[in-house]
Amino acid sequence: MEKYQLRSGFTTGTCAAVAAKAAAAMLLTGNPLQHMKLVTPKGTEADLPLFRVVLNDQEAACGVQKDAGDDPDVTHQAFVFASVGHFYGDEKEALKTCYRYDLENGSPLFLTAGEGIGWVTKPGLSCPIGLPAINPVPRAMIFQGVEEARREAGFEGPLIITISMPEGKKLAEKTFNSKLGIVGGLSILGTTGIVNPMSEEALTATIRLELHMKAVAGERKVILTPGNYGEAFIKEALCLSMSEGVTCSNFIGEAFTMAGEDSFKEILFVGHIGKLIKVAGGVYNTHSKHGDRRMEILWDCVSSVIPDSQRLEKEILSANTMEEASKILKEYNILEPVMKEVVHRIQAHVSRWSRGIHVEVVTFSTTYGILGMSEGAQEMISHFATREEDRE
């Protein structure tokens, strides 16, 4: 019987970029469209149908219905709309609520949010306070799509783009946006433009199969990482390939348990501190549906390193992200010892889950790079690097 292949989909960022590119093309050519193509950062072409097209001399608007494939995404089937209009306002004033995109030659593009898109109210996110929660990769995709349409139309004037999701405010109640300080709606997200299916049963089966295949091939060492950030860090910062790696998503406890069942001897565990801090608290599955507790776990680590400090406790527990919390620890000059404790606790939990496998840990942040490494991590990294060289 042929195995069912889970279907991938497109992120809200891709949907917003396709809608914005189509709206710009319609505004500048005067021709209504039924669909629009756009290449995602992953290189996959999105060719998506357009809905509720509106076109006049000053503005064009349209929507794209998100298809998340077989991923149980809260935004699956929701509509993402974009409107593009000629910009006649004050550029300085616009920067209070808009992102700006400039070319060496040509007028700027402005990007803002309409109904259902959240606004950032706390530090530590990848979007500045006071601006829409449209993450950097989707922002770039939107601007690039609109600029492409502007260039093809031979137009050089300034434009303003507005992204909206009418269902966004209601859907945001099912997310952690309010806790992160994103108010009024959803974030526009995506790093590759593609939604990879996240069926729990399928993912754990895939993880098990990948580990088992390596074990059957005689491998006794493996690299584990939760996802895209870890994969990129392993390649770019540690200079290792993922040929000996397995991506375990939020199923960290399960992955280590499976590795123990397949008799692996050594594991290099690499991940962003935002995910791994949960592991330091013994969280077996790090999906947000099982709770957060990141700052509480971090504070427990901090309090074991330094004398009680009510001021620091308040700052840590009020931090919005682990990036922000890391900055606070650095300002107090205790980032290194705290991360040593974090890594020690991670090692203890994952070693227990794997029933005694030798595990070394590397955790990092996008701001500071490597935050913590277990004592033997560098030696294990060198072993993996040597194995790669031997194969070449």
Side-chain angles (χ1 to χ4, degrees):
M1 182 177 178
E2 186 178 351
K3 184 179 177 182
Y4 174 66
Q5 182 69 40
L6 287 173
R7 192 169 57 87
S8 61
F10 292 105
T11 63
T12 50
T14 295
C15 295
V18 168
K21 182 180 178 182
M26 290 189 290
L27 173 70
L28 300 177
T29 64
N31 299 320
L33 298 172
Q34 295 183 327
H35 69 97
M36 176 55 72
K37 295 180 180 180
L38 181 141
V39 178
T40 68
K42 196 172 183 178
T44 303
E45 183 180 72
D47 186 356
L48 305 180
L50 307 176
F51 296 87
R52 303 179 200 173
V53 172
V54 175
L55 175 60
N56 57 52
D57 291 342
Q58 294 301 315
E59 184 181 56
C62 61
V64 168
Q65 188 172 31
K66 179 175 175 178
D67 180 356
D70 288 324
D71 187 68
D73 191 304
V74 297
T75 59
H76 180 57
Q77 297 296 306
F79 283 92
V80 184
F81 289 90
S83 67
V84 177
H86 295 286
F87 180 79
Y88 301 112
D90 180 271
E91 293 187 7
K92 276 190 177 180
E93 193 66 23
L95 291 180
K96 294 179 181 179
T97 56
C98 296
Y99 295 100
R100 175 177 175 141
Y101 175 79
D102 287 290
L103 290 172
E104 290 184 11
N105 299 310
S107 301
L109 299 175
F110 296 93
L111 172 63
T112 191
E115 180 185 5
I117 304 299
W119 292 77
V120 178
T121 64
K122 291 183 179 180
L125 300 174
S126 56
C127 303
I129 292 175
L131 289 180
I134 304 174
N135 276 17
V137 172
R139 284 203 303 267
M141 292 173 67
I142 291 165
F143 280 134
Q144 288 165 10
V146 171
E147 177 53 31
E148 185 177 331
R150 186 168 67 166
R151 187 171 60 249
E152 289 177 357
F155 180 78
E156 296 183 353
L159 298 172
I160 183 164
I161 310 150
T162 305
I163 306 299
S164 60
M165 291 185 69
E167 304 166 77
K169 190 170 184 179
K170 184 176 180 180
L171 291 174
E173 295 173 2
K174 301 177 182 180
T175 73
F176 277 89
N177 273 18
S178 60
K179 187 179 175 87
L180 294 174
I182 299 171
V183 301
L186 289 166
S187 307
I188 298 295
L189 302 171
T191 54
T192 65
I194 302 297
V195 176
N196 290 313
M198 292 289 286
S199 159
E200 291 197 5
E201 184 179 348
L203 264 177
T204 52
T206 299
I207 295 165
R208 183 180 295 279
L209 179 60
E210 287 189 45
L211 285 168
H212 187 64
M213 288 177 67
K214 289 182 181 298
V216 169
E219 297 291 341
R220 290 295 175 261
K221 298 181 180 181
V222 69
I223 303 171
L224 281 180
T225 188
N228 291 334
Y229 286 142
E231 286 186 19
F233 187 83
I234 287 165
K235 294 173 186 175
E236 296 166 12
L238 302 185
C239 300
L240 301 176
S241 78
M242 282 297 291
S243 62
E244 295 189 76
V246 173
T247 303
C248 59
S249 186
N250 292 300
F251 306 99
I252 293 169
E254 288 94 331
F256 276 96
T257 299
M258 293 170 191
E261 292 169 352
D262 266 322
S263 301
F264 280 90
K265 301 299 182 186
E266 296 183 15
I267 296 176
L268 178 64
F269 184 39
V270 182
H272 188 278
I273 187 61
K275 186 75 69 177
L276 264 58
I277 189 63
K278 293 186 179 183
V279 182
V283 178
Y284 197 75
N285 186 310
T286 56
H287 194 284
S288 57
K289 71 181 181 182
H290 298 295
D292 189 358
R293 291 178 50 220
R294 289 170 302 158
M295 299 311 160
E296 289 81 1
I297 294 168
L298 178 62
W299 173 246
D300 191 54
C301 294
V302 173
S303 61
S304 71
V305 171
I306 64 167
D308 184 41
S309 167
Q310 291 184 348
R311 178 184 171 188
L312 178 55
E313 180 180 7
K314 184 177 180 181
E315 287 187 50
I316 291 295
L317 295 180
S318 299
N320 192 31
T321 65
M322 283 302 301
E323 294 283 343
E324 182 185 355
S326 298
K327 181 181 178 183
I328 293 168
L329 295 176
K330 191 171 182 65
E331 289 171 351
Y332 276 82
N333 201 31
I334 55 171
L335 181 59
E336 184 176 342
V338 169
M339 287 302 143
K340 185 176 181 180
E341 175 66 18
V342 168
V343 165
H344 174 72
R345 294 190 184 194
I346 293 169
Q347 268 189 303
H349 287 299
V350 297
S351 295
R352 174 169 53 84
W353 294 336
S354 65
R355 298 186 179 180
I357 292 177
H358 173 203
V359 181
E360 298 293 345
V361 177
V362 179
T363 188
F364 63 92
S365 80
T366 54
T367 304
Y368 300 110
I370 292 176
L371 293 177
M373 295 179 70
S374 55
E375 190 173 340
Q378 189 58 62
E379 184 179 358
M380 190 177 287
I381 291 167
S382 298
H383 285 168
F384 276 107
T386 301
R387 283 155 60 97
E388 287 181 18
E389 289 173 3
D390 290 342
R391 281 196 296 269
E392 288 176 355

